[in-house]
Amino acid sequence: MSLEKTWQNLDDSSDDDLAALLKSGTLKKVSHDPITRITRNLLINLYWCVIISIGYIVVLYSFPIWQVQICIAVVLLFTLYAFFSALHHYRQLKKPPEHTQLLPFMEWHYASITKWLNTVSKVALFVYPVSAAGGFMLGATLGAEKSIEYLLSKKLIQISMPITIAVLVPLCYYLAKWMNKIAFGRHLEQLKKNIDELKSGE
């Protein structure tokens, strides 16, 4: 095959989006590769989900208090949901489908991961009260060395537990939101910026 023919084939198969990356000033910014960093942070998230799940399982078997076990089981199910949904995104980012153009690939993952973060945050709002209640009951039982039935019959516990839940739920929510912003927020912002630059170069 002649050199001219080879060059012609390469030119015909080039992606318009990739050509846009080579424009002045664009390649430098896209080279930060936010998708790679999002993929790495998803992997870290997966490791933490596994470690936390193991911790919940240990608690389930170590403290045979059915009220606490129900709460921990709910939180464990949420952690497993977060794990498998993160694993789904990780696999898609790690092995993108063949013959996918760059811009649609970036747009799809920006929308998908943003939606995933919002969904997990909303579901967590229903889980945090259960988690706080379970932690409160477990801590009270261990601290007082009394049965949970006895403690729940006390007025002090009946008042302090709802207050504890009311305080911990928003704290957990905003802490998780802040952690997600550190892990994914800035990289999603960079990804959106890269998408806008590619679109402007079309």
Side-chain angles (χ1 to χ4, degrees):
M1 181 182 291
S2 66
L3 180 61
E4 291 80 9
K5 184 66 175 178
T6 302
W7 177 258
Q8 182 64 39
N9 290 338
L10 289 173
D11 185 62
D12 290 341
S13 62
S14 64
D15 191 333
D16 292 339
D17 294 331
L18 183 58
L21 288 176
L22 298 175
K23 290 189 175 182
S24 177
T26 302
L27 182 59
K28 181 179 179 180
K29 295 176 182 178
V30 174
S31 64
H32 291 296
D33 198 359
I35 289 182
T36 298
R37 298 187 181 187
I38 291 171
T39 305
R40 178 200 62 190
N41 289 345
L42 276 172
L43 182 60
I44 294 172
N45 184 279
L46 290 170
Y47 284 136
W48 275 113
C49 283
V50 171
I51 293 171
I52 292 171
S53 296
I54 293 172
Y56 288 144
I57 293 172
V58 171
V59 172
L60 281 172
Y61 282 97
S62 300
F63 302 98
I65 305 168
W66 70 266
Q67 296 91 338
V68 174
Q69 287 179 325
I70 289 176
C71 293
I72 297 300
V74 171
V75 180
L76 176 59
L77 288 175
F78 169 73
T79 305
L80 292 175
Y81 159 74
F83 172 83
F84 285 109
S85 58
L87 181 62
H88 170 72
H89 285 286
Y90 176 78
R91 286 175 172 173
Q92 288 185 319
L93 286 168
K94 195 68 177 176
K95 295 181 179 179
E98 295 181 358
H99 310 300
T100 299
Q101 291 186 336
L102 179 62
L103 182 55
F105 176 77
M106 294 167 66
E107 288 181 314
W108 188 88
H109 282 294
Y110 174 81
S112 181
I113 293 175
T114 300
K115 182 179 179 181
W116 170 67
L117 288 172
N118 291 334
T119 301
V120 170
S121 296
K122 290 177 182 177
V123 174
L125 279 175
F126 296 96
V127 177
Y128 290 145
V130 179
S131 175
F136 181 91
M137 289 187 290
L138 180 59
T141 303
L142 294 177
E145 297 183 349
K146 302 288 185 180
S147 69
I148 189 64
E149 290 80 10
Y150 172 81
L151 292 173
L152 291 177
S153 68
K154 297 299 180 181
K155 197 168 188 64
L156 178 62
I157 297 297
Q158 294 172 0
I159 294 173
S160 58
M161 186 164 73
I163 293 175
T164 301
I165 294 172
V167 172
L168 288 180
V169 168
L171 285 178
C172 291
Y173 174 77
Y174 286 108
L175 176 62
K177 192 173 183 179
W178 175 72
M179 292 174 67
N180 283 334
K181 185 176 181 180
I182 292 178
F184 301 104
R186 54 180 176 169
H187 303 309
L188 285 171
E189 289 175 2
Q190 182 62 53
L191 180 58
K192 182 63 168 62
K193 187 176 180 181
N194 292 348
I195 290 170
D196 292 339
E197 288 178 350
L198 285 174
K199 284 184 175 180
S200 66
E202 291 182 343

